[in-house]
Amino acid sequence: MTDNPPGGPRLDDEQFRRLAGYGTVEHAETGRRLYVTGDDTYDLFLLGSASVDIVREATTIEPEHRVYQGRPGDFLGELSLLTGQHVYLTARVVSAGDVVRVGAAGLRRVLAEQVDLADVLIEAFRARRDTIRAAAGNALEIVGRSGDVAARDLRTYVAQLLLPHAWFDADAVPGIALMRSAGIGEAELPAAVVNGTVLRRATPGALAEALGLTYRTDGRPADLVVVGSGPAGLAAAVYAASEGLATVLLDRSGIGGQAAKSARIENYLGFPQGVSGESLTRLAMIQALKFGVRIFSPCAVTDLDLSEPRRPTVLLADGSRVEARAVIAATGAQYRRLDIPRWAAFERAGCIRYAASELDVRGYEDQPVTVIGGANSAGQAALSLAARGATVDLVVRGADLGARMSSYLTDRIHKHPAIRLHTGAAVRDLLGTDTLESIVVGRDGARADRLDCRALFCFIGADPVSDWLTGVARDERGFVRTDGRSALPFQTSAARVFAVGDLRSGSIKRVATAVGEGASAVSSVHAVLADD
């Protein structure tokens, strides 16, 4: 418990008065609850003369506890004010006095009109979320087995969206205790406890619904729908919203796309010491929220309705229709799987992974692992695993590691004593009982080698996620064409649909390029909307 709002900058007296001008003054008596756990939404409150306890309410598992106390001069709220997540803490007045309520519309005006206030609020919201994630983790509790794919999907989702939560290993004493107290059976893992309600065999989609993060309309028509939240989609959403377009961002799984799974990006402008893909995309998400982008994830898009030429409509898996004046497709591509025996079985066991995030590489210290692929993502994964003490076999089909990988990565890989390079090679077989124990690597015309391996990290090729783009021209591999002679930059065969990033035919597979395409496509969107 802390006595003051956790972390982040504070408002000075002049800023407090200026922010108060966007709200209405109310008198709050002792005991009044300004917002309550489970509410769909809540408002920003400035504390004039009142003091307020922010509490995590009691559940059947945990007693009530105070997270912090807000005092006169403070403001209440954190990142959920922007994400739309259901309220998970209760604000209870403990000393009567005046408060100023700033509603959602007022807060949007503040963020758009008052630069210094926006800076204070956004940084405070971000810092408070980081602190509250630990202090109020029992608002969301996840229990499962660390090697289970479904459990890792849940953990990845909540980490990408910065959701306060606590993780319990089902094989450890605290996890066993949680399962007993919540009545969770072995066959019901992974499970999530949301404000005392148990979600059995939980998925990111079910969890998002319980938290209020699935798509719902707020009655405002969208100018632009961006589908896909990798660097290209995030950039498009940020630039569109910052230029006044009502923007909705949808993603089928989480935030960040393949970039969020990169261990370290060192050639992205402005980060001389490098930045993890996870950190970069988290910052981009907060930036998008600042400008008013409405983000919904997971939110699976299944189709595109072009029957009304000036109103392309995105269709969701739950039957919802999201109409807009324009659409930017940024659904990217997904890594391929190898067509070898038992691949799916080892994938379900958690031994095959397609990312090298902190969560994915954890637990492989001092273990033999294999990375497949010859591009930057594979190189970053190999170096990240080796830095943790793993022994890494890097398997590359081509004869030259530098053909598709940046030289700064190839130089380090060649010199790293814990990385063994296998060029002109391919994985032929996977061996083990319940978990992966070794792999067979072969070269054309040469004897195959058996290598110890506890986990395989796969970064080979990519197939476009383009099946949902009904009526839009694609090349023979499924990538979206944007090369029409009369088209605006990034315009597809559909006048108000644009494609950016890895999804686009002929794109350069780099984070910086994707960001540039996403931002540039917004100019083309403005051009077509000018005809309305």
Side-chain angles (χ1 to χ4, degrees):
M1 181 187 72
T2 59
D3 291 328
N4 296 303
R10 297 170 64 86
L11 298 167
D12 62 31
D13 290 343
E14 187 278 331
Q15 289 174 322
F16 187 98
R17 289 192 296 271
R18 191 157 25 108
L19 181 54
Y22 286 83
T24 56
V25 179
E26 301 175 2
H27 182 75
E29 294 291 344
T30 301
R32 176 182 168 185
R33 297 190 295 179
L34 301 178
Y35 48 83
V36 181
T37 298
D39 284 351
D40 289 344
T41 61
Y42 71 112
D43 295 323
L44 174 72
F45 283 94
L46 305 177
L47 303 184
S49 54
S51 293
V52 176
D53 275 351
I54 303 300
V55 300
R56 173 72 185 96
E57 291 194 12
T59 70
T60 57
I61 302 170
E62 295 283 345
E64 178 182 294
H65 71 272
R66 189 174 74 182
V67 177
Y68 65 85
Q69 184 175 92
R71 296 172 177 170
D74 294 332
F75 60 93
L76 306 181
E78 54 90 59
L79 205 56
S80 56
L81 275 170
L82 305 180
T83 64
Q85 177 185 349
H86 288 168
V87 179
Y88 59 91
L89 298 172
T90 293
R92 183 185 301 127
V93 178
V94 293
S95 178
D98 290 338
V99 299
V100 180
R101 181 193 295 268
V102 180
L107 180 57
R108 286 196 297 271
R109 287 178 53 212
V110 170
L111 297 179
E113 299 170 3
Q114 303 289 340
V115 175
D116 62 324
L117 296 183
D119 288 345
V120 170
L121 293 175
I122 294 297
E123 178 56 23
F125 291 165
R126 185 201 62 77
R128 290 179 182 190
R129 173 58 65 92
D130 286 345
T131 302
I132 291 172
R133 284 168 72 188
N138 63 338
L140 167 60
E141 297 170 316
I142 299 172
V143 58
R145 290 191 165 81
S146 57
D148 180 64
V149 173
R152 192 170 70 249
D153 287 346
L154 275 181
R155 297 178 71 187
T156 299
Y157 171 69
V158 298
Q160 287 179 342
L161 270 70
L162 302 176
L163 300 177
H165 69 282
W167 160 255
F168 295 88
D169 192 314
D171 293 322
V173 172
I176 294 171
L178 175 61
M179 291 173 64
R180 288 175 178 170
S181 61
I184 300 168
E186 291 279 343
E188 296 172 323
L189 296 175
V193 182
V194 183
N195 294 325
T197 299
V198 179
L199 301 179
R200 306 173 196 280
R201 291 179 288 278
T203 63
L207 184 57
E209 185 173 357
L211 295 173
L213 296 174
T214 50
Y215 176 76
R216 59 187 187 278
T217 181
D218 64 353
R220 293 182 293 160
D223 293 317
L224 174 66
V225 172
V226 180
V227 185
S229 69
L234 283 166
V238 166
Y239 276 83
S242 69
E243 295 173 3
L245 297 180
T247 304
V248 172
L249 177 61
L250 309 174
D251 195 283
R252 62 177 178 165
S253 57
I255 300 296
Q258 288 187 9
K261 301 172 182 179
S262 295
R264 189 176 180 85
I265 303 169
E266 293 189 70
N267 58 356
Y268 188 72
L269 187 66
F271 293 89
Q273 294 179 320
V275 60
S276 73
E278 190 174 38
S279 296
L280 182 65
T281 54
R282 282 180 179 179
L283 291 170
M285 179 187 74
I286 293 172
Q287 193 173 17
L289 292 170
K290 169 186 175 180
F291 287 117
V293 177
R294 300 178 65 226
I295 300 176
F296 300 100
S297 174
C299 190
V301 173
T302 59
D303 208 347
L304 180 67
D305 183 354
L306 299 174
S307 58
E308 174 54 56
R310 290 180 175 269
R311 289 291 183 272
T313 299
V314 171
L315 279 62
L316 307 185
D318 66 359
S320 300
R321 297 171 60 87
V322 188
E323 184 180 281
R325 299 167 67 199
V327 172
I328 291 181
T331 41
Q334 56 191 3
Y335 289 118
R336 299 183 188 126
R337 290 158 168 78
L338 289 178
D339 185 18
I340 56 179
R342 302 190 66 195
W343 183 274
F346 284 120
E347 185 179 59
R348 288 192 299 270
C351 302
I352 297 176
R353 307 193 174 190
Y354 303 90
S357 67
E358 172 70 20
L359 187 60
D360 286 283
V361 303
R362 188 184 304 163
Y364 290 105
E365 297 82 357
D366 303 317
Q367 297 290 316
V369 299
T370 299
V371 176
I372 310 176
N376 279 10
S377 294
Q380 290 159 355
L383 289 166
S384 177
L385 286 156
R388 286 179 166 266
T391 301
V392 182
D393 286 293
L394 177 58
V395 179
V396 182
R397 181 176 290 276
D400 179 13
L401 181 63
R404 295 191 299 128
M405 189 181 295
S406 298
S407 61
Y408 78 93
L409 291 173
T410 62
D411 290 345
R412 292 180 190 174
I413 288 169
H414 283 304
K415 293 177 181 178
H416 204 296
I419 300 177
R420 295 182 298 185
L421 179 60
H422 307 263
T423 55
V427 175
R428 305 294 190 196
D429 203 0
L430 308 175
L431 306 174
T433 51
D434 295 332
T435 60
L436 188 61
E437 297 174 5
S438 61
I439 64 172
V440 175
V441 173
R443 296 175 176 83
D444 292 339
R447 180 177 60 85
D449 296 318
R450 179 169 172 169
L451 307 175
D452 287 342
C453 179
R454 302 295 177 268
L456 191 152
F457 293 79
C458 186
F459 302 92
I460 56 164
D463 295 317
V465 182
S466 60
D467 289 348
W468 64 278
L469 285 162
T470 302
V472 173
R474 287 168 273 176
D475 67 16
E476 64 281 359
R477 296 174 59 198
F479 290 91
V480 177
R481 293 188 178 279
T482 57
D483 53 2
R485 292 183 179 179
S486 61
L488 292 162
F490 309 108
Q491 189 173 40
T492 70
S493 58
R496 297 198 174 213
V497 180
F498 302 83
V500 294
D502 291 356
L503 175 71
R504 190 176 66 83
S505 179
S507 68
I508 298 173
K509 308 300 189 282
R510 288 290 187 269
V511 173
T513 305
V515 170
E517 290 191 6
S520 299
V522 175
S523 295
S524 295
V525 169
H526 281 298
V528 296
L529 297 190
D531 294 336
D532 289 351

